[in-house]
Amino acid sequence: MRTLVIWSGIVCAALCGLIDPVWGYGVVFVLALVQLSMLGTAGDSVFLLIHYTVVLVYFSLAPAMQIAADVDFWEVGIVGPAAHTQALMLVLLYMAGVEAARLGLPAQPAGPGPAHRARGAGVAHPFLLLGCLEVAFAVLFVHFDMNFVARGVLSEEESTPIQYIVYSTLPKLVVLMCFVALAIHALRQRTLWAWCSAGLAFALAAFAANPVNTARQVILIGLLPLLIHALGRRHRWTLAAVIFGAIAGLGPVLNLISRDAMWGAQLASYPFSQDFDAMFVVAGILERAPSPDLGYGRYLLSAFSFVLPRELKMFPEFDPLGWPAVLGNFSQRNLSLPPFTTAYFDFGLAGPALLGFAVSAGFRVVDKAVDPQRTLTAGYLCALVLLAAYVPFLRGPILGWGPFAVSGLIAAFVAGSLASWFRRPAARPTRPTPPTRSARAGLPTA
């Protein structure tokens, strides 16, 4: 039933979009809500739940209302309906690819209930995680201006991207992932020592991830794994609502605190905030940029190599945001593109569908690893981070998704390894020895 609904909805959205892109995005909004309701049972794909929540936030209601209100972002002017329609088709092709990878895939069974919870599946030695957390927290003070000064304040020392990763992004995510591991341990063990360890870790994580100076990707990739662990299987509506509310509501608020209240800029609320301009930027580039040559993967590689300094960036000539036709029309330079757009530049209309298929097929493997009762290991924490990283990934990697995702995976591996080292294997129940023949006959034994 769900398969029939999604494919019928994609066709309906495409037909409505050809008439008016506002109607097309409206259908996507309804379709995403219906899919979330049909994915609301325990055992279904956590990836699809997060996927349709992100579609609901960035690729449905927000662009529909912006087009209808003739919103103008980044001094680019009013974008024509033809470009908005083309941008909508890229979204639908990506959604079709995601669903194509799920054809014939049976629903996953629900995880084991609380009665089967492995009470001893916490962390081996919490003090290992606490020690790692404190070391990572101390590293943040090596470059104090980089971590604990409000965004926008210019430091006297010029920081390179690599320094920012080593002294800021990676340590903050190590702190957050150690807190996630200790929180999971406390929820399972429910001892005073476990709760105190998690409380200390939470205090350090809250200070390290101060929203005034921390990019939101750190908070997403660092803290969303804990929500996915707690809510991903049995409280799915709550997880979807928290993700939507955190992005649509908390995102503009954090922007207002960290940027606008300090520097005098004004920020409209959702969906007219610049945080939700993804499809406006896509349509603006499609309208203004010349038809590029096929990149055969070089556009995507250029986007994902944001982790490197500009002079080391792979294929900088294949960066759509660096084209003269784009730079000359957008006042904002730190724009981002959803990855299905660069896939379109690489492989034409087949690109978004192929990318969606590849991403969804990969997350089929990740879905199997996500079980709230699973032993806390590096692999389990990495799976949680990958699911959390999908939110900024779909919004646009050029915005800085790459460094945060890689740092999050490294942090998850470190925390998971420390959580599982020196763990004593669970004692296997001993099988009773069968009685001897003389015992069965009721004769005394020697």
Side-chain angles (χ1 to χ4, degrees):
M1 182 63 181
R2 195 192 76 81
T3 302
L4 178 62
V5 170
I6 182 63
W7 288 104
S8 301
I10 289 175
V11 172
C12 182
L15 294 176
C16 292
L18 293 175
I19 300 173
D20 190 331
V22 176
W23 295 0
Y25 281 113
V27 174
V28 172
F29 174 75
V30 175
L31 180 60
L33 279 180
V34 172
Q35 290 303 300
L36 286 174
S37 67
M38 300 183 82
L39 288 166
T41 58
D44 284 330
S45 168
V46 180
F47 163 71
L48 285 181
L49 182 81
I50 297 175
H51 167 71
Y52 282 109
T53 305
V54 179
V55 168
L56 199 68
V57 179
Y58 288 118
F59 307 109
S60 62
L61 185 63
M65 296 183 69
Q66 291 163 3
I67 297 169
D70 287 334
V71 173
D72 174 13
F73 284 124
W74 312 123
E75 301 177 10
V76 74
I78 305 301
V79 178
H84 280 302
T85 300
Q86 186 179 359
L88 170 65
M89 296 305 162
L90 300 185
V91 175
L92 296 176
L93 286 170
Y94 179 79
M95 293 172 63
V98 167
E99 287 297 334
R102 301 279 162 164
L103 289 175
L105 183 68
Q108 284 188 275
H116 300 89
R117 175 174 297 170
R119 301 292 295 180
V123 299
H125 294 286
F127 69 85
L128 290 177
L129 285 170
L130 284 174
C132 178
L133 182 148
E134 292 171 358
V135 170
F137 188 78
V139 171
L140 296 174
F141 289 87
V142 174
H143 282 270
F144 184 88
D145 293 348
M146 197 179 291
N147 296 295
F148 300 110
V149 175
R151 284 170 53 184
V153 176
L154 298 179
S155 173
E156 296 180 359
E157 181 179 352
E158 183 179 356
S159 61
T160 65
I162 301 300
Q163 285 180 324
Y164 184 75
I165 293 169
V166 172
Y167 295 111
S168 181
T169 305
L170 184 57
K172 286 185 177 184
L173 281 166
V174 169
V175 171
L176 289 169
M177 290 310 302
C178 287
F179 160 66
V180 169
L182 288 168
I184 294 174
H185 173 68
L187 290 171
R188 289 178 174 177
Q189 301 300 312
R190 301 184 184 277
T191 63
L192 179 61
W193 161 246
W195 287 118
C196 290
S197 301
L200 174 61
F202 175 74
L204 295 180
F207 189 75
N210 185 338
V212 172
N213 53 64
T214 297
R216 285 181 297 263
Q217 286 93 328
V218 165
I219 299 176
L220 271 175
I221 297 174
L223 292 182
L224 187 54
L226 183 59
L227 293 176
I228 294 173
H229 166 84
L231 308 174
R233 288 292 184 202
R234 298 192 173 275
H235 305 279
R236 306 172 65 75
W237 272 107
T238 304
L239 176 62
V242 168
I243 294 175
F244 183 91
I247 299 174
L250 191 58
V253 171
L254 293 182
N255 246 349
L256 186 65
I257 295 173
S258 64
R259 183 183 302 163
D260 303 284
M262 295 182 180
W263 311 112
Q266 295 182 353
L267 181 65
S269 61
Y270 174 86
F272 300 111
S273 166
Q274 289 90 340
D275 282 354
F276 308 98
D277 62 348
M279 297 315 295
F280 182 92
V281 173
V282 172
I285 289 179
L286 292 175
E287 184 178 68
R288 286 159 173 77
S291 299
D293 296 329
L294 291 181
Y296 299 111
R298 286 174 289 185
Y299 288 108
L300 276 173
L301 287 175
S302 179
F304 293 155
S305 64
F306 181 87
V307 67
L308 298 173
R310 182 69 186 181
E311 59 271 15
L312 299 178
K313 190 177 179 70
M314 290 183 285
F315 308 110
E317 66 275 14
F318 286 87
D319 179 10
L321 302 178
W323 292 338
V326 174
L327 291 176
N329 284 275
F330 284 82
S331 62
Q332 171 72 8
R333 293 296 179 264
N334 189 26
L335 298 172
S336 62
L337 284 179
F340 53 77
T341 308
T342 46
Y344 164 71
F345 291 139
D346 276 320
F347 304 105
L349 290 176
L354 292 173
L355 178 66
F357 187 92
V359 169
S360 186
F363 274 102
R364 283 176 59 173
V365 179
V366 175
D367 265 329
K368 295 178 181 178
V370 176
D371 181 350
Q373 313 307 328
R374 183 163 182 162
T375 303
L376 194 60
T377 61
Y380 178 60
L381 287 181
C382 285
L384 295 179
V385 168
L386 282 172
L387 283 166
Y390 183 73
V391 177
F393 166 77
L394 193 53
R395 172 61 176 86
I398 297 180
L399 193 60
W401 169 85
F404 297 107
V406 173
S407 299
L409 288 174
I410 295 173
F413 182 81
V414 171
S417 299
L418 293 177
S420 57
W421 279 356
F422 311 119
R423 178 182 285 130
R424 289 176 294 183
R428 296 183 178 179
T430 58
R431 298 177 60 183
T433 58
T436 62
R437 181 180 301 176
S438 58
R440 289 197 300 268
L443 300 176
T445 57

